């Protein structure tokens, strides 16, 4: 993603409720919602920030089912950057994988990653051409969309979307209507901006393909002055040197930039299972930003507090601390690194209640694998909430809270967020989003 050029271009998404003591509602036994790993295909033009994003991506590869890694191009990188750099970076990842597995399970092997690498379009003349082109990358996208697994397939565009457009053109030309519909039902596209003319073609010609376009990535550009963290320490060369490039073995030296400026990382931040549940609906918001839609298929940047970048920058400190912790995992043993708090609440993460009721929620049984002290912060994320009146939370900094649902004749939702931070170094944060459905 060409951050500096794009900046100029882009400013013109099982237990019943127990009723206690009159109107007090408390929730049943602790439940942890199990979710399958999201199926991911990455397409990339190989620019410098794609490479730093990919280096970080591999540290989170345990979070995803990686089904494709496809070389491509963009209007900024018209011929891409070759077809070897991902393999080389994966080889270095393979050297740290045994240590990563000491901290969390599920990291894929080098062979598992390399077997899904393909070359897509890397020719300039096809940047605005949406017709069929026989690239291995386009063919692979089709094969994944037509496999027997019914789970969604999230195709990320870190560069241009022309290889994805080619796959859709080939699909439309070569397959039956039944097969096309089955493939399109599974497909989600998460695109970092419009990096060639085929992105608009996809939205116009396949209007029911689920498509997220993010311009909020500019909040990750240290030269952008549009948010409170623009000049923060996390964007400094000193932070990157200390937490990534030095003292973290050879893998840290792969980080190709002097400072944090990763335009493409929100494309996979969206899928990290940190409790924010952003993958369930782009409207919810999370580490990859927050989006809105008018038709239920195409999602574009939403605003928090009137700020179009806040859905991204509001999480940046937690995102960078998280990265620093995973960098420590590259070489440190378990006992010399920090790990995520484990949230344990006494209720479901989806509630249905009547107006006027009081909700009581207890997270006091949350734990930390390193024995760190925990701090709590509860708040309502007002933008994805549809109920107009937001309740007051008494003592939001303690583990047990209560609040009263407003008396109303309107139905709506409240998005309650619990942040739990540990006292380790770096500080790690986990979240729990509880969606309260209010039905009169």
């Amino acid at each position: 993603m060409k951050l500096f050029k794009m900046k100029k271009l882009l400013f013109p998404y099982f237990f019943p409720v127990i009723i206690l003591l009159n109107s007090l509602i408390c929730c049943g036994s602790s439940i942890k919602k199990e979710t399958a790993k999201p199926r991911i295909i990455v397409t990339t033009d190989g620019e410098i920030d794609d490479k730093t994003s990919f280096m970080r991506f591999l540290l989170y590869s345990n979070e995803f089912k990686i089904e494709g890694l496809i070389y491509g191009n963009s209007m900024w990188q018209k011929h891409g950057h070759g077809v070897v750099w991902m393999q080389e970076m994966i080889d270095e990842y393979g050297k740290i994988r045994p240590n990563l597995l000491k901290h969390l399970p599920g990291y894929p092997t080098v062979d598992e990653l390399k077997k899904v690498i393909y070359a897509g379009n890397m020719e300039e003349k096809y940047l605005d051409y949406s017709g069929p082109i026989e690239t291995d990358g386009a063919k692979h996208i089709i094969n994944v969309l037509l496999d027997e697994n019914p789970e969604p397939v999230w195709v990320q565009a870190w560069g241009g979307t022309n290889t994805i457009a080619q796959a859709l053109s080939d699909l439309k030309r070569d397959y039956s209507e039944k097969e096309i519909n089955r493939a399109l039902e599974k497909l989600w596209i998460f695109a970092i901006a419009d990096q060639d003319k085929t992105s608009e073609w996809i939205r116009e010609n396949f209007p029911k393909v689920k498509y997220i376009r993010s311009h909020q990535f500019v909040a990750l550009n240290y030269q952008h002055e549009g948010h409170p963290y623009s000049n923060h320490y996390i964007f400094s060369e000193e932070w990157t040197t200390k937490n990534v490039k030095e003292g973290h073995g050879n893998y840290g030296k792969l980080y190709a930039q002097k400072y944090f400026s990763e335009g493409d990382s929100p494309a996979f931040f969206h899928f990290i299972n940190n409790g924010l549940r952003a993958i369930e609906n782009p409207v919810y918001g999370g580490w990859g930003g927050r989006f809105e839609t008018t038709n239920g298929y195409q999602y574009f940047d939403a605003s928090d507090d009137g700020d179009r970048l806040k859905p991204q920058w509001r999480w940046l400190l937690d995102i960078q601390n998280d990265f620093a912790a995973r960098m420590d995992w590259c070489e440190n043993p378990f006992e010399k690194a920090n790990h995520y708090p484990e949230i344990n609440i006494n209720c479901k993460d989806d509630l249905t209640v009547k107006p006027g009721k009081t909700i009581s929620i207890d997270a006091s049984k949350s734990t930390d694998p390193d024995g760190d002290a925990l701090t709590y912060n509860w708040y309502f994320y007002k933008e994805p909430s549809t109920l107009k009146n937001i309740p007051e939370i008494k003592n939001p900094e303690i583990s047990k809270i209560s609040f009263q649902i407003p008396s109303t004749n309107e139905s709506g939702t409240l998005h309650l967020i619990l942040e739990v931070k540990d006292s380790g170094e770096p500080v790690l944060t986990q979240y729990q989003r509880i969606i309260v459905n209010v039905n009169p």
Side-chain angles (χ1 to χ4, degrees):
M1 178 62 231
K2 193 69 174 178
L3 287 170
F4 307 119
K5 290 183 180 179
M6 291 301 290
K7 183 172 75 170
K8 297 178 182 178
L9 187 67
L10 295 177
F11 280 92
Y13 139 151
F14 303 45
F15 298 90
V17 175
I18 301 172
I19 301 178
L20 299 174
L21 301 177
N22 300 323
S23 63
L24 178 63
I25 293 181
C26 184
C27 307
S29 303
S30 172
I31 299 175
K32 182 173 177 58
K33 191 172 186 178
E34 298 297 334
T35 56
K37 291 183 179 181
R39 305 177 72 193
I40 300 293
I41 295 176
V42 172
T43 67
T44 171
D45 65 5
E47 193 177 3
I48 186 170
D49 71 310
D50 294 55
K51 292 177 180 177
T52 51
S53 288
F54 191 72
M55 181 265 198
R56 187 191 299 233
F57 173 79
L58 292 175
L59 294 179
Y60 289 86
S61 59
N62 65 308
E63 303 279 344
F64 322 123
K65 189 175 189 305
I66 299 171
E67 307 238 353
L69 301 170
I70 299 176
Y71 291 105
N73 64 351
S74 71
M75 61 194 293
W76 307 115
Q77 308 297 317
K78 296 179 180 180
H79 301 283
H81 281 271
V83 293
V84 297
W85 65 267
M86 282 195 285
Q87 290 94 320
E88 293 173 346
M89 199 170 289
I90 289 168
D91 283 336
E92 291 300 320
Y93 155 84
K95 297 174 185 178
I96 63 168
R97 177 177 177 267
N99 214 66
L100 293 174
L101 289 167
K102 296 176 182 178
H103 300 273
L104 278 180
Y107 281 95
T109 67
V110 166
D111 288 343
E112 287 171 332
L113 292 170
K114 285 188 173 181
K115 76 179 182 181
V116 297
I117 295 178
Y118 294 88
N121 176 53
M122 302 179 75
E123 295 190 47
E124 178 180 352
K125 63 182 178 179
Y126 296 129
L127 285 169
D128 59 357
Y129 176 69
S130 52
I133 300 175
E134 302 296 334
T135 66
D136 290 339
K139 291 177 184 177
H140 180 67
I141 292 172
I142 293 172
N143 290 338
V144 174
L145 290 175
L146 290 175
D147 68 17
E148 296 302 316
N149 186 340
E151 294 296 318
V153 178
W154 294 84
V155 184
Q156 301 176 17
W158 297 12
T161 54
N162 58 84
T163 297
I164 304 170
Q166 291 158 16
L168 292 173
S169 295
D170 293 347
L171 185 70
K172 187 174 183 179
R173 179 193 65 186
D174 296 336
Y175 293 88
S176 69
E177 183 177 357
K178 182 178 179 180
E179 290 172 313
I180 293 170
N181 290 338
R182 181 164 65 87
L184 297 185
E185 178 65 26
K186 291 162 60 173
L187 175 61
W188 276 86
I189 298 171
F190 193 117
I192 299 296
D194 289 344
Q195 296 191 56
D196 63 37
K197 294 183 180 180
T198 63
S199 52
E200 184 176 353
W201 178 88
I202 293 172
R203 294 193 296 270
E204 289 181 353
N205 289 273
F206 292 86
K208 292 190 176 181
V209 166
K210 296 171 285 291
Y211 194 112
I212 302 171
R213 185 189 68 185
S214 171
H215 289 168
Q216 294 171 353
F217 73 88
V218 295
L220 278 66
N221 176 2
Y222 89 113
Q223 289 192 347
H224 183 73
E225 299 296 332
H227 63 80
Y229 296 113
S230 298
N231 298 307
H232 195 278
Y233 178 57
I234 60 171
F235 283 104
S236 69
E237 182 176 344
E238 181 183 357
W239 188 97
T240 301
T241 299
K242 175 184 176 182
N243 291 283
V244 182
K245 296 174 72 70
E246 294 182 1
H248 295 85
N250 289 328
Y251 194 73
K253 296 176 183 178
L254 293 178
Y255 200 81
Q257 299 189 103
K258 294 181 179 180
Y259 42 77
F260 174 35
S261 187
E262 301 170 24
D264 300 293
S265 294
F268 69 86
F269 287 166
H270 182 75
F271 306 101
I272 296 171
N273 185 17
N274 55 19
L276 286 173
R277 301 170 56 185
I279 192 173
E280 295 180 30
N281 192 325
V283 172
Y284 290 178
W287 279 13
R290 195 176 69 80
F291 307 92
E292 58 190 2
T293 181
T294 58
N295 59 17
Y297 295 100
Q298 298 174 4
Y299 295 81
F300 303 98
D301 299 323
S303 296
D304 287 356
D305 293 325
D307 183 343
R308 191 169 62 87
L309 296 185
K310 187 174 181 179
Q312 183 68 71
W313 64 249
R314 68 186 302 152
W315 315 106
L316 285 184
L317 294 183
D318 292 346
I319 286 170
Q320 285 300 84
N321 281 338
D322 205 282
F323 182 31
R326 293 211 179 204
M327 284 304 305
D328 289 342
W329 296 358
C330 294
E331 292 199 328
N332 289 1
F334 188 92
E335 60 273 13
K336 291 187 178 181
N338 199 19
H339 305 88
Y340 300 109
E342 298 171 2
I343 297 178
N344 189 322
I345 60 173
N346 68 331
C347 69
K348 299 178 181 180
D349 49 16
D350 289 281
L351 304 176
T352 300
V353 301
K354 297 290 185 182
K357 298 297 183 179
T358 297
I359 306 296
S360 178
I361 302 178
D362 183 356
S364 62
K365 291 186 178 180
S366 300
T367 60
D368 186 85
D370 308 306
D372 295 331
L374 301 179
T375 58
Y376 300 83
N377 181 38
W378 303 80
Y379 61 92
F380 287 104
Y381 195 170
K382 65 179 182 179
E383 280 79 11
S385 301
T386 61
L387 202 67
K388 294 180 180 178
N389 294 323
I390 304 295
E392 177 186 359
I393 300 174
K394 298 178 180 179
N395 301 315
E397 74 285 352
I398 63 176
S399 60
K400 300 178 183 180
I401 62 155
S402 64
F403 56 90
Q404 186 175 16
I405 302 297
S407 296
T408 179
N409 293 324
E410 297 181 1
S411 298
T413 61
L414 294 166
H415 285 242
L416 175 64
I417 307 294
L418 167 62
E419 292 180 349
V420 178
K421 296 181 183 290
D422 68 14
S423 58
E425 177 60 39
V427 173
L428 287 178
T429 306
Q430 283 291 89
Y431 313 86
Q432 184 83 34
R433 184 190 297 254
I434 301 167
I435 299 176
V436 183
N437 299 280
V438 180
N439 288 323

PDB file of all heavy atoms in Angstrom, residues 173-186:
ATOM      1  N   ARG A 173     -17.307 -16.952 -16.353  1.00  0.00           N
ATOM      2  CA  ARG A 173     -17.189 -17.509 -17.707  1.00  0.00           C
ATOM      3  C   ARG A 173     -17.291 -19.029 -17.732  1.00  0.00           C
ATOM      4  O   ARG A 173     -17.912 -19.602 -18.642  1.00  0.00           O
ATOM      5  CB  ARG A 173     -15.836 -17.091 -18.303  1.00  0.00           C
ATOM      6  CG  ARG A 173     -15.567 -17.620 -19.706  1.00  0.00           C
ATOM      7  CD  ARG A 173     -14.108 -17.431 -20.076  1.00  0.00           C
ATOM      8  NE  ARG A 173     -13.218 -18.223 -19.231  1.00  0.00           N
ATOM      9  CZ  ARG A 173     -11.884 -18.142 -19.279  1.00  0.00           C
ATOM     10  NH1 ARG A 173     -11.304 -17.283 -20.120  1.00  0.00           N
ATOM     11  NH2 ARG A 173     -11.144 -18.877 -18.490  1.00  0.00           N
ATOM     12  N   ASP A 174     -16.731 -19.701 -16.734  1.00  0.00           N
ATOM     13  CA  ASP A 174     -16.484 -21.137 -16.846  1.00  0.00           C
ATOM     14  C   ASP A 174     -17.386 -22.023 -16.005  1.00  0.00           C
ATOM     15  O   ASP A 174     -17.340 -23.256 -16.161  1.00  0.00           O
ATOM     16  CB  ASP A 174     -15.024 -21.436 -16.458  1.00  0.00           C
ATOM     17  CG  ASP A 174     -14.034 -20.786 -17.410  1.00  0.00           C
ATOM     18  OD1 ASP A 174     -14.417 -20.510 -18.565  1.00  0.00           O
ATOM     19  OD2 ASP A 174     -12.883 -20.555 -16.999  1.00  0.00           O
ATOM     20  N   TYR A 175     -18.200 -21.447 -15.132  1.00  0.00           N
ATOM     21  CA  TYR A 175     -18.927 -22.290 -14.188  1.00  0.00           C
ATOM     22  C   TYR A 175     -20.424 -22.044 -14.258  1.00  0.00           C
ATOM     23  O   TYR A 175     -20.895 -21.017 -14.753  1.00  0.00           O
ATOM     24  CB  TYR A 175     -18.402 -22.050 -12.762  1.00  0.00           C
ATOM     25  CG  TYR A 175     -16.979 -22.524 -12.597  1.00  0.00           C
ATOM     26  CD1 TYR A 175     -15.905 -21.674 -12.897  1.00  0.00           C
ATOM     27  CD2 TYR A 175     -16.701 -23.825 -12.187  1.00  0.00           C
ATOM     28  CE1 TYR A 175     -14.594 -22.111 -12.773  1.00  0.00           C
ATOM     29  CE2 TYR A 175     -15.398 -24.270 -12.060  1.00  0.00           C
ATOM     30  CZ  TYR A 175     -14.352 -23.410 -12.353  1.00  0.00           C
ATOM     31  OH  TYR A 175     -13.053 -23.852 -12.238  1.00  0.00           O
ATOM     32  N   SER A 176     -21.158 -23.021 -13.728  1.00  0.00           N
ATOM     33  CA  SER A 176     -22.615 -22.944 -13.750  1.00  0.00           C
ATOM     34  C   SER A 176     -23.110 -21.895 -12.764  1.00  0.00           C
ATOM     35  O   SER A 176     -22.397 -21.475 -11.845  1.00  0.00           O
ATOM     36  CB  SER A 176     -23.216 -24.301 -13.381  1.00  0.00           C
ATOM     37  OG  SER A 176     -22.970 -24.598 -12.014  1.00  0.00           O
ATOM     38  N   GLU A 177     -24.352 -21.483 -12.963  1.00  0.00           N
ATOM     39  CA  GLU A 177     -24.939 -20.493 -12.064  1.00  0.00           C
ATOM     40  C   GLU A 177     -24.952 -20.993 -10.628  1.00  0.00           C
ATOM     41  O   GLU A 177     -24.698 -20.230  -9.690  1.00  0.00           O
ATOM     42  CB  GLU A 177     -26.356 -20.159 -12.522  1.00  0.00           C
ATOM     43  CG  GLU A 177     -27.023 -19.074 -11.681  1.00  0.00           C
ATOM     44  CD  GLU A 177     -28.401 -18.708 -12.188  1.00  0.00           C
ATOM     45  OE1 GLU A 177     -28.826 -19.251 -13.224  1.00  0.00           O
ATOM     46  OE2 GLU A 177     -29.069 -17.870 -11.535  1.00  0.00           O
ATOM     47  N   LYS A 178     -25.222 -22.283 -10.446  1.00  0.00           N
ATOM     48  CA  LYS A 178     -25.239 -22.857  -9.101  1.00  0.00           C
ATOM     49  C   LYS A 178     -23.867 -22.759  -8.446  1.00  0.00           C
ATOM     50  O   LYS A 178     -23.742 -22.393  -7.279  1.00  0.00           O
ATOM     51  CB  LYS A 178     -25.706 -24.306  -9.157  1.00  0.00           C
ATOM     52  CG  LYS A 178     -25.799 -24.978  -7.799  1.00  0.00           C
ATOM     53  CD  LYS A 178     -26.310 -26.409  -7.929  1.00  0.00           C
ATOM     54  CE  LYS A 178     -26.389 -27.088  -6.561  1.00  0.00           C
ATOM     55  NZ  LYS A 178     -26.887 -28.492  -6.683  1.00  0.00           N
ATOM     56  N   GLU A 179     -22.826 -23.087  -9.205  1.00  0.00           N
ATOM     57  CA  GLU A 179     -21.468 -23.017  -8.665  1.00  0.00           C
ATOM     58  C   GLU A 179     -21.062 -21.571  -8.386  1.00  0.00           C
ATOM     59  O   GLU A 179     -20.416 -21.286  -7.357  1.00  0.00           O
ATOM     60  CB  GLU A 179     -20.492 -23.662  -9.647  1.00  0.00           C
ATOM     61  CG  GLU A 179     -20.630 -25.172  -9.751  1.00  0.00           C
ATOM     62  CD  GLU A 179     -19.790 -25.756 -10.873  1.00  0.00           C
ATOM     63  OE1 GLU A 179     -19.840 -25.200 -12.000  1.00  0.00           O
ATOM     64  OE2 GLU A 179     -19.095 -26.765 -10.636  1.00  0.00           O
ATOM     65  N   ILE A 180     -21.433 -20.686  -9.286  1.00  0.00           N
ATOM     66  CA  ILE A 180     -21.107 -19.270  -9.080  1.00  0.00           C
ATOM     67  C   ILE A 180     -21.753 -18.766  -7.800  1.00  0.00           C
ATOM     68  O   ILE A 180     -21.098 -18.110  -6.970  1.00  0.00           O
ATOM     69  CB  ILE A 180     -21.564 -18.436 -10.288  1.00  0.00           C
ATOM     70  CG1 ILE A 180     -20.743 -18.800 -11.522  1.00  0.00           C
ATOM     71  CG2 ILE A 180     -21.438 -16.941  -9.988  1.00  0.00           C
ATOM     72  CD1 ILE A 180     -21.281 -18.203 -12.812  1.00  0.00           C
ATOM     73  N   ASN A 181     -23.012 -19.055  -7.619  1.00  0.00           N
ATOM     74  CA  ASN A 181     -23.723 -18.578  -6.421  1.00  0.00           C
ATOM     75  C   ASN A 181     -23.127 -19.160  -5.151  1.00  0.00           C
ATOM     76  O   ASN A 181     -23.020 -18.466  -4.131  1.00  0.00           O
ATOM     77  CB  ASN A 181     -25.205 -18.928  -6.528  1.00  0.00           C
ATOM     78  CG  ASN A 181     -25.920 -18.105  -7.582  1.00  0.00           C
ATOM     79  OD1 ASN A 181     -25.464 -17.028  -7.955  1.00  0.00           O
ATOM     80  ND2 ASN A 181     -27.039 -18.610  -8.076  1.00  0.00           N
ATOM     81  N   ARG A 182     -22.735 -20.428  -5.212  1.00  0.00           N
ATOM     82  CA  ARG A 182     -22.131 -21.051  -4.029  1.00  0.00           C
ATOM     83  C   ARG A 182     -20.804 -20.376  -3.686  1.00  0.00           C
ATOM     84  O   ARG A 182     -20.505 -20.124  -2.517  1.00  0.00           O
ATOM     85  CB  ARG A 182     -21.926 -22.543  -4.279  1.00  0.00           C
ATOM     86  CG  ARG A 182     -21.318 -23.294  -3.090  1.00  0.00           C
ATOM     87  CD  ARG A 182     -21.501 -24.800  -3.254  1.00  0.00           C
ATOM     88  NE  ARG A 182     -20.776 -25.327  -4.399  1.00  0.00           N
ATOM     89  CZ  ARG A 182     -19.506 -25.726  -4.351  1.00  0.00           C
ATOM     90  NH1 ARG A 182     -18.822 -25.639  -3.210  1.00  0.00           N
ATOM     91  NH2 ARG A 182     -18.918 -26.228  -5.411  1.00  0.00           N
ATOM     92  N   ALA A 183     -20.030 -20.071  -4.718  1.00  0.00           N
ATOM     93  CA  ALA A 183     -18.737 -19.412  -4.483  1.00  0.00           C
ATOM     94  C   ALA A 183     -18.928 -18.006  -3.943  1.00  0.00           C
ATOM     95  O   ALA A 183     -18.256 -17.592  -2.980  1.00  0.00           O
ATOM     96  CB  ALA A 183     -17.934 -19.375  -5.779  1.00  0.00           C
ATOM     97  N   LEU A 184     -19.836 -17.252  -4.532  1.00  0.00           N
ATOM     98  CA  LEU A 184     -20.022 -15.865  -4.118  1.00  0.00           C
ATOM     99  C   LEU A 184     -20.626 -15.762  -2.725  1.00  0.00           C
ATOM    100  O   LEU A 184     -20.378 -14.787  -2.002  1.00  0.00           O
ATOM    101  CB  LEU A 184     -20.908 -15.129  -5.127  1.00  0.00           C
ATOM    102  CG  LEU A 184     -20.342 -15.013  -6.547  1.00  0.00           C
ATOM    103  CD1 LEU A 184     -21.257 -14.156  -7.408  1.00  0.00           C
ATOM    104  CD2 LEU A 184     -18.929 -14.464  -6.550  1.00  0.00           C
ATOM    105  N   GLU A 185     -21.404 -16.758  -2.333  1.00  0.00           N
ATOM    106  CA  GLU A 185     -21.974 -16.764  -0.994  1.00  0.00           C
ATOM    107  C   GLU A 185     -20.878 -16.851   0.061  1.00  0.00           C
ATOM    108  O   GLU A 185     -20.996 -16.282   1.148  1.00  0.00           O
ATOM    109  CB  GLU A 185     -22.942 -17.938  -0.847  1.00  0.00           C
ATOM    110  CG  GLU A 185     -23.563 -18.088   0.534  1.00  0.00           C
ATOM    111  CD  GLU A 185     -24.456 -16.922   0.913  1.00  0.00           C
ATOM    112  OE1 GLU A 185     -24.999 -16.255   0.005  1.00  0.00           O
ATOM    113  OE2 GLU A 185     -24.608 -16.666   2.117  1.00  0.00           O
ATOM    114  N   LYS A 186     -19.779 -17.515  -0.255  1.00  0.00           N
ATOM    115  CA  LYS A 186     -18.673 -17.689   0.694  1.00  0.00           C
ATOM    116  C   LYS A 186     -17.708 -16.512   0.711  1.00  0.00           C
ATOM    117  O   LYS A 186     -16.986 -16.299   1.681  1.00  0.00           O
ATOM    118  CB  LYS A 186     -17.893 -18.969   0.356  1.00  0.00           C
ATOM    119  CG  LYS A 186     -18.653 -20.240   0.605  1.00  0.00           C
ATOM    120  CD  LYS A 186     -18.042 -21.430  -0.128  1.00  0.00           C
ATOM    121  CE  LYS A 186     -16.632 -21.721   0.262  1.00  0.00           C
ATOM    122  NZ  LYS A 186     -16.131 -22.982  -0.357  1.00  0.00           N
TER     123      LYS A 186
END
